[in-house]
Amino acid sequence: MVHIINFLILYYTTIMSARTIISNDGSLRKFKMAASTTIVDATFLAYTGGFLTPAVAGTTELFAIAREGKVSGAGENPEVLVELLDDGVDIIVDTAGNTSQALVGTKIDLTNASTANQAASTTKVLLVIGVVGEPANKQVRARIVNKIA
């Protein structure tokens, strides 16, 4: 029952964001971000050198999704609110191009902190488990499958 309530609250508060988490325990926490960095709300984050950074195409482990946007200056490491991610968390994610049912069951990479690359499979951090709407919607339902080195 708690997961259903968390889902409904999260669903209605993030429906317009780039990330809609389908199943998670709602672990909201604050972590320090890297200096001279811009973090955009509802984007994937990595944890590098003890600080949050935006995920990039080669990111092998997705740490969290930003739940607020923030900019840090040189030598500044402010805290930013994030939702922690674990393997097995289901999300709806935007893709770089049109989708198709053939993507279901494939592991894909990121294009950047806010978009998955359905044509790349090097880091394989997302497992596509469904297509959202029509192919032109450019969204898939995916499961986090971090590739830990």
Side-chain angles (χ1 to χ4, degrees):
M1 182 67 171
V2 171
H3 287 294
I4 293 171
I5 292 169
N6 284 343
F7 166 74
L8 291 173
I9 292 169
L10 186 61
Y11 179 78
Y12 287 112
T13 59
T14 63
I15 193 67
M16 298 307 290
S17 74
R19 301 285 153 271
T20 301
I21 295 182
I22 304 301
S23 59
N24 198 11
D25 66 359
S27 298
L28 295 175
R29 305 266 193 287
K30 286 196 172 196
F31 286 88
K32 290 187 177 193
M33 63 186 284
S36 303
T37 301
T38 298
I39 290 179
V40 178
D41 186 25
T43 57
F44 288 118
L45 301 171
Y47 202 66
T48 309
F51 298 99
L52 293 172
T53 58
V56 295
T59 298
T60 58
E61 187 173 359
L62 302 176
F63 181 75
I65 290 177
R67 288 298 170 212
E68 66 178 338
K70 197 165 276 194
V71 177
S72 63
E76 298 176 349
N77 301 104
E79 290 186 333
V80 62
L81 184 67
V82 302
E83 185 160 4
L84 299 177
L85 295 175
D86 290 316
D87 284 2
V89 170
D90 293 354
I91 59 171
I92 293 175
V93 60
D94 297 333
T95 60
N98 289 349
T99 60
S100 73
Q101 188 62 29
L103 286 172
V104 176
T106 61
K107 292 180 182 174
I108 60 175
D109 303 351
L110 295 179
T111 299
N112 54 42
S114 62
T115 310
N117 185 346
Q118 76 279 11
S121 59
T122 302
T123 58
K124 302 177 181 179
V125 293
L126 299 169
L127 171 65
V128 178
I129 58 174
V131 174
V132 178
E134 297 298 317
N137 286 353
K138 298 182 180 179
Q139 288 187 325
V140 294
R141 182 173 176 168
R143 180 162 292 151
I144 304 294
V145 287
N146 284 322
K147 180 177 151 185
I148 299 171

